[in-house]
Amino acid sequence: MANDWFETVLEAQRRAKKRLPPSVYSALLAGSERGSTYDDNLRAFGELGFAPHVAGNTSQHDLSTSVMGQQISMPVIISPTGVQAVHPDGEVAVARAAAARGTAMGLSSFASKPVEDVVAANPQTFFQMYWMGDRDTMAQRMDRARTAGCVGLIATLDWSFSHGRDWGSPSIPDKVDVKTMLTFAPEVLRRPRWLLDFARSGQLPDLTTPNIPVDAQPAPTFFGAYGEWMGTPPPSWDDVAWMAKEWGGPFMLKGLSRVDDAHRARDAGVTAVSVSNHGGNNIDGTPAAIRMLPSVVDAIGEDVEVVMDGGIRRGSDVVKAVALGARAVMIGRAYLWGLAANGQAGVENVLDVLRGGIDSALLGLGKTDIGDLRRDDVLVPDGFLRVLGDVPA
């Protein structure tokens, strides 16, 4: 319906807030401690500028590129996010939307839909894993993803388990049972459309993680999987190298911020990295990803594909990131708000909004191809960039 269309990602966020129970919406905002990094992810893009041309521009623009061997229609891919209980179709709806718009899907190992269903909806699916459990268990999870048809692996290593928030963390249940339904009934009943979506689907919000179990074990709840992750000692660089070799294909390490870590990632055999602070969920006070991007590109960009995630809300944000060296960007909250606002169509809407903004920025900059963007297309103020870490000896 025409009135379901929204013209900005911020409007999708407004509609998501209006549609979702407060606890569910609050979980999407995330951001650790005082939220300084979350805020900087957004603020930093506003500090960058453009110098547009007014004549001699062309109205035809090629936005296509490739990431980890996958041709995509524009430099935007779906970042993996856990249990998408904002809509009954969850990750399957997101995968279909991404496929409809010609881009790749990142599927979290903490997702609420099986990897087989998601790959069926979008063959360009990258499976995401944390370092959790022993190597045999992780190898079995990789085997399942490979057998399902996943075309790449994303290893997320940038969460320090800081979940306290100065403005209050949402109350997230371990599972949806009678006690949970009674506890959350007052806020859920104030959001009847969200409740009706699940009633029509014949299912309750699913807080289990079907991609975690191996050997026909039952799927753990989100917090059960989270507990396994927290209980696993952090990986070494040898572990990263093992993971890349065990997968044996396109392999992205997500969460880089330091130049020395970038060099070690390249030496460990990764084929791509994402400069990221986990959307503000790693150590609060980490700089915005866009501030750290150029230093990582300079360090390893000739050998490894570099993408970034964190703070993307507009097509012009995408153009700024690509001009500063990113192959593409990954979006998270933006598509979740679209999913909450209008299901698969809402995610497609978000992708269309971003595409339109990219196209408009290329027009103003006088570029015909996304690959023509250069750093001097962006005005970078003094003191904007951050270089973390030194080049290892």
Side-chain angles (χ1 to χ4, degrees):
M1 296 174 61
N3 61 354
D4 288 331
W5 175 262
F6 43 83
E7 296 185 352
T8 67
V9 171
L10 293 182
E11 174 60 16
Q13 181 180 0
R14 188 191 71 80
R15 295 189 189 186
K17 183 177 183 180
K18 186 176 180 180
R19 189 180 191 96
L20 295 174
S23 293
V24 179
Y25 175 74
S26 179
L28 298 185
L29 291 182
S32 63
E33 297 183 343
R34 71 177 66 188
S36 299
T37 296
Y38 175 90
D39 291 340
D40 196 35
N41 277 344
L42 299 172
R43 182 174 59 249
F45 280 102
E47 297 176 18
L48 297 170
F50 291 122
H53 294 283
V54 296
N57 300 351
T58 175
S59 60
Q60 299 298 317
H61 312 115
D62 185 358
L63 276 56
S64 64
T65 186
S66 65
V67 174
M68 293 209 293
Q70 298 300 304
Q71 291 295 319
I72 52 178
S73 65
M74 61 177 173
V76 178
I77 60 180
I78 298 297
S79 186
T81 62
V83 181
Q84 295 176 11
V86 301
H87 189 275
D89 294 335
E91 294 84 0
V92 172
V94 177
R96 289 172 177 158
R101 294 302 183 262
T103 195
M105 170 76 182
L107 177 68
S108 173
S109 56
F110 284 8
S112 60
K113 303 295 182 184
V115 60
E116 293 81 5
D117 294 352
V118 174
V119 173
N122 188 338
Q124 290 184 297
T125 293
F126 304 133
F127 186 67
Q128 177 271 348
M129 288 179 57
Y130 294 101
W131 184 261
M132 53 185 288
D134 58 30
R135 286 190 176 185
D136 287 343
T137 299
M138 285 184 272
Q140 290 181 65
R141 290 177 183 139
M142 290 187 216
D143 285 342
R144 179 179 172 185
R146 190 182 298 110
T147 300
C150 290
V151 293
L153 190 73
I154 300 172
T156 302
L157 302 181
D158 66 333
W159 197 355
S160 57
F161 307 114
S162 175
H163 53 77
R165 292 192 248 175
D166 287 7
W167 61 93
S169 296
S171 177
I172 302 175
D174 187 50
K175 58 184 177 180
V176 178
D177 54 17
V178 174
K179 181 180 178 181
T180 298
M181 288 189 285
L182 290 174
T183 300
F184 286 88
E187 65 174 272
V188 171
L189 291 174
R190 296 199 303 270
R191 298 293 188 269
R193 291 192 299 166
W194 182 79
L195 184 61
L196 183 60
D197 284 342
F198 281 94
R200 287 172 174 167
S201 71
Q203 58 182 304
L204 295 172
D206 191 355
L207 302 182
T208 60
T209 54
N211 297 308
I212 293 297
V214 296
D215 296 331
Q217 296 174 347
T221 64
F222 172 83
F223 285 108
Y226 185 84
E228 181 183 349
W229 179 24
M230 290 187 69
T232 303
S236 66
W237 284 108
D238 285 342
D239 291 327
V240 175
W242 170 83
M243 207 172 188
K245 184 177 180 181
E246 181 70 25
W247 176 252
F251 179 88
M252 177 188 294
L253 191 153
K254 184 177 181 297
L256 271 174
S257 59
R258 298 173 58 103
V259 171
D260 45 4
D261 280 356
H263 280 269
R264 293 185 179 103
R266 179 198 59 194
D267 295 344
V270 309
T271 58
V273 299
S274 182
V275 179
S276 171
N277 49 46
H278 212 108
N281 279 291
N282 200 2
I283 301 175
D284 196 31
T286 305
I290 190 67
R291 299 187 193 276
M292 304 181 291
L293 172 66
S295 64
V296 174
V297 171
D298 289 344
I300 62 171
E302 292 186 0
D303 305 315
V304 174
E305 292 180 4
V306 180
V307 304
M308 69 140 289
D309 63 89
I312 300 294
R313 300 292 186 270
R314 300 165 185 84
S316 59
D317 297 340
V318 179
V319 170
K320 290 171 182 177
V322 174
L324 292 181
R327 176 69 68 94
V329 304
M330 305 175 77
I331 60 170
R333 293 181 180 91
Y335 77 78
L336 289 174
W337 290 327
L339 179 65
N342 197 24
Q344 177 182 337
V347 180
E348 293 174 4
N349 194 156
V350 164
L351 293 171
D352 289 343
V353 166
L354 294 178
R355 184 178 185 89
I358 297 169
D359 194 70
S360 293
L362 291 184
L363 173 62
L365 293 171
K367 305 293 183 179
T368 59
D369 191 297
I370 195 75
D372 294 337
L373 289 166
R374 297 293 181 267
R375 289 191 184 179
D376 58 9
D377 291 313
V378 176
L379 305 179
V380 181
D382 292 341
F384 176 85
L385 301 177
R386 303 287 188 272
V387 179
L388 279 61
D390 297 319
V391 177

